[in-house]
Amino acid sequence: MSLSYEEKVAEFQAKIDAGYKVEASDWMPDDYRLGALRLIQMHANSEIMGALPEREWVPKAPTFRRKLAILAKVQDEMGHGQLLFRVAEDLAAPLGKSRKEMIDELLTGKTHFHNVFHYPAPTWADAGIIAWLVDGAAVVTQGSLLKTSYAPYARCLERICAEEVFHIQHGEDICLTLMEGTPAQRQMLQEALERWWEPLMHFFGPKENLSHHSNTLLRYRIKVKTNEELRQKFLSKYVPKIQALGLRIPDPNLRYNQETQEWEYTEPNWDRFFQVVKGNGPLSAQRLGLRKMSYEEGQWVRSVLEQPLAQAGD
Amino acid sequence: MSEQKSQRAPEAVTPVPPEGKAPFYVYEIFIQRNHDSHHEHVYSLLAPDDQMALVLAKENFLRREEACINIWAVRRDHVVATPYDDPDFFARTTDRSYRNPAGYRQNMYKWRKYKIQANAGHDEGEHAHG
């Protein structure tokens, strides 16, 4: 006796509710596959695009040790992209979609990447804020995703999160050093924080009822925390640290409400967020251009690798 | 071989190569950190051949490992595996507690009893000679 599609979905949902983890080879509803793929592809895109603002600072890092550290971080982000595209590939294979197509979807703007990577990083302090707070925000999200129902993603995130801990330390080191520096250096860090505050508030996305994709993700436990829960967690973790450093957060309404046990803040401009993630951010076109150039310049490497070789054992 | 899909590793799909090009294969990567450890599966990658799989494994998975003495790269379509959706394969039909130390918990209570008896006997002996 074979089950109807709806019955199979209901059975699948019951397994998810009971805490079952999904493997790539398992049967899954179409909207599970598409939802997980969309999330993971966006994450993979973001790792690769996220390396670009920091890459700009590799030649200009103030000391050799810092140059090596930021270079290592850029390399890690590209490595995370590799891992995540592997996870995405296994999800996309039954849809007949290859890695090549996913790269094309990024380059043509069909798929998106995180809002924070559409902005310029004009000073070394921006490199510090990115590594400390943008990566800090990413770890809040990715840490919650360790409990995702999609097991291959969870396993991949374990490695990614471990490496992100180094990134945050690297970012804290830059910010602490600047704060202990000259008034001009402290001012540079303050200005960088002001530039990044709204993108950071945007980072977790709008509260769920504004976004029709997230509900599927939450129902199937692909995502386990809502956008607002993650934003609250980020604020609890980082606002005290930012204030302890003596930096001013550019939101006069930001305060912790003891009664509701929640942070109150000025609602960021969500129209701007949607414009940015759709590819109309300050540097969206330039960054995609850079990615495209780098992809084309790397074509010779892929061409060499694609030459048929005698395979040992075949 | 390909018809025995359930015998293959999960999602063993060999990527289709572009026209006239060599295919890229999914390789499962295992690293051994020292001689006291088994190889541990760390993840998979795409590579055109065995040699590149090892080179890319080092780039992808050993950027900051303190120690590693060996890498295995195994083409995923060469891995045989049980299916996830066949719980019967792992089902236990009989009690197997006799195979495990935990199946012998009663020994502990018996030893405790004998110990108490032995101690009591020892105490009596001391009194007798005191």
Side-chain angles (χ1 to χ4, degrees):
Chain A
M1 190 193 82
S2 66
L3 298 173
S4 72
Y5 183 78
E6 286 71 24
E7 286 167 328
K8 279 167 96 172
V9 173
E11 199 176 70
F12 180 86
Q13 182 70 56
K15 278 161 81 179
I16 294 289
D17 294 342
Y20 181 81
K21 302 281 176 181
V22 182
E23 293 289 346
S25 54
D26 289 348
W27 183 88
M28 60 188 91
D30 297 339
D31 55 350
Y32 184 98
R33 185 181 298 283
L34 292 172
L37 181 60
R38 181 174 169 275
L39 179 76
I40 294 164
Q41 232 183 303
M42 160 99 170
H43 187 177
N45 288 347
S46 301
E47 294 284 356
I48 285 179
M49 297 306 291
L52 298 180
E54 289 176 295
R55 169 196 168 280
E56 292 165 15
W57 280 97
V58 173
K60 302 183 283 186
T63 67
F64 187 60
R65 182 183 153 87
R66 292 196 188 282
K67 186 196 288 287
L68 290 175
I70 198 163
L71 189 61
K73 182 174 186 304
V74 167
Q75 196 187 19
D76 283 346
E77 308 295 13
M78 299 310 272
H80 297 169
Q82 292 279 347
L83 286 176
L84 290 160
F85 274 120
R86 271 277 47 261
V87 181
E89 269 174 318
D90 288 343
L91 268 172
L95 306 170
K97 194 155 121 183
S98 67
R99 179 185 298 215
K100 172 84 175 63
E101 283 165 73
M102 290 190 265
I103 299 282
D104 287 343
E105 284 178 342
L106 168 63
L107 295 178
T108 56
K110 193 174 171 231
T111 54
H112 299 150
F113 55 99
H114 261 306
N115 71 304
V116 282
F117 305 124
H118 295 255
Y119 289 91
T123 71
W124 177 244
D126 292 76
I129 294 285
I130 291 171
W132 179 31
L133 295 178
V134 172
D135 280 50
V139 168
V140 168
T141 304
Q142 289 162 23
S144 80
L145 286 169
L146 289 171
K147 295 204 173 75
T148 176
S149 62
Y150 190 57
Y153 189 33
R155 292 194 292 266
C156 170
L157 282 168
E158 290 236 2
R159 171 167 292 267
I160 292 178
C161 285
E163 292 186 344
E164 296 286 350
V165 174
F166 146 72
H167 298 172
I168 294 171
Q169 290 292 327
H170 155 79
E172 283 185 2
D173 187 35
I174 295 173
C175 293
L176 290 167
T177 305
L178 288 174
M179 272 323 267
E180 289 165 6
T182 63
Q185 286 174 316
R186 283 196 290 278
Q187 183 57 25
M188 182 166 77
L189 190 62
Q190 175 63 37
E191 286 170 13
L193 177 68
E194 286 169 17
R195 272 192 289 280
W196 286 95
W197 189 252
E198 186 175 75
L200 281 165
M201 293 298 283
H202 281 152
F203 180 85
F204 301 96
K207 287 175 188 165
E208 248 69 15
N209 55 2
L210 298 176
S211 166
H212 68 283
H213 290 288
S214 292
N215 295 336
T216 311
L217 296 181
L218 290 168
R219 179 162 43 84
Y220 286 137
R221 297 189 61 77
I222 298 169
K223 264 176 70 170
V224 292
K225 290 250 164 68
T226 67
N227 294 344
E228 185 58 19
E229 283 173 318
L230 294 170
R231 187 167 21 248
Q232 289 287 332
K233 197 168 174 204
F234 171 79
L235 292 170
S236 292
K237 196 165 167 191
Y238 287 102
V239 169
K241 284 189 173 181
I242 294 168
Q243 288 170 342
L245 261 189
L247 291 167
R248 292 179 311 279
I249 295 172
D251 180 357
N253 299 319
L254 182 74
R255 70 176 194 103
Y256 188 72
N257 185 328
Q258 293 288 352
E259 277 173 34
T260 59
Q261 304 270 301
E262 284 211 332
W263 289 91
E264 293 171 358
Y265 52 82
T266 309
E267 201 64 39
N269 181 332
W270 289 110
D271 289 339
R272 188 148 56 223
F273 168 79
F274 288 116
Q275 280 304 312
V276 166
V277 289
K278 274 183 206 148
N280 301 319
L283 287 192
S284 311
Q286 189 191 319
R287 291 266 161 74
L288 275 176
L290 195 58
R291 179 86 277 273
K292 195 156 183 276
M293 185 185 84
S294 138
Y295 189 68
E296 283 162 5
E297 285 181 353
Q299 181 54 46
W300 71 270
V301 180
R302 289 188 298 280
S303 300
V304 170
L305 293 177
E306 282 165 358
Q307 299 304 311
L309 275 182
Q311 179 82 1
D314 268 9
Chain B
M1 291 295 270
S2 61
E3 66 271 15
Q4 290 178 319
K5 199 163 175 259
S6 65
Q7 295 284 301
R8 286 290 171 214
E11 76 276 354
V13 181
T14 303
V16 183
E19 208 62 36
K21 306 270 178 68
F24 274 59
Y25 298 96
V26 178
Y27 281 84
E28 297 293 340
I29 305 301
F30 302 79
I31 65 173
Q32 187 186 22
R33 292 191 171 83
N34 55 57
H35 286 287
D36 297 329
S37 312
H38 292 288
H39 285 72
E40 185 193 338
H41 182 236
V42 285
Y43 220 75
S44 58
L45 50 78
L46 277 191
D49 59 54
D50 297 351
Q51 201 186 345
M52 275 309 293
L54 293 173
V55 171
L56 292 173
K58 188 181 159 201
E59 287 299 319
N60 268 1
F61 300 109
L62 298 175
R63 284 195 296 276
R64 57 173 63 72
E65 297 277 341
E66 289 297 324
C68 176
I69 57 165
N70 197 248
I71 302 173
W72 286 350
V74 185
R75 256 173 60 176
R76 186 189 269 176
D77 55 346
H78 291 172
V79 174
V80 287
T82 57
Y84 279 104
D85 55 5
D86 182 14
D88 290 348
F89 186 88
F90 297 104
R92 295 284 192 226
T93 48
T94 56
D95 170 29
R96 293 187 182 230
S97 61
Y98 59 86
R99 290 177 185 265
N100 292 310
Y104 296 88
R105 232 176 243 124
Q106 71 277 15
N107 291 1
M108 191 177 73
Y109 300 110
K110 288 187 180 171
W111 279 122
R112 195 174 290 162
K113 193 177 77 188
Y114 283 108
K115 232 183 209 164
I116 290 166
Q117 276 175 11
N119 281 342
H122 182 68
D123 287 348
E124 278 169 28
E126 291 219 325
H127 286 301
H129 295 286

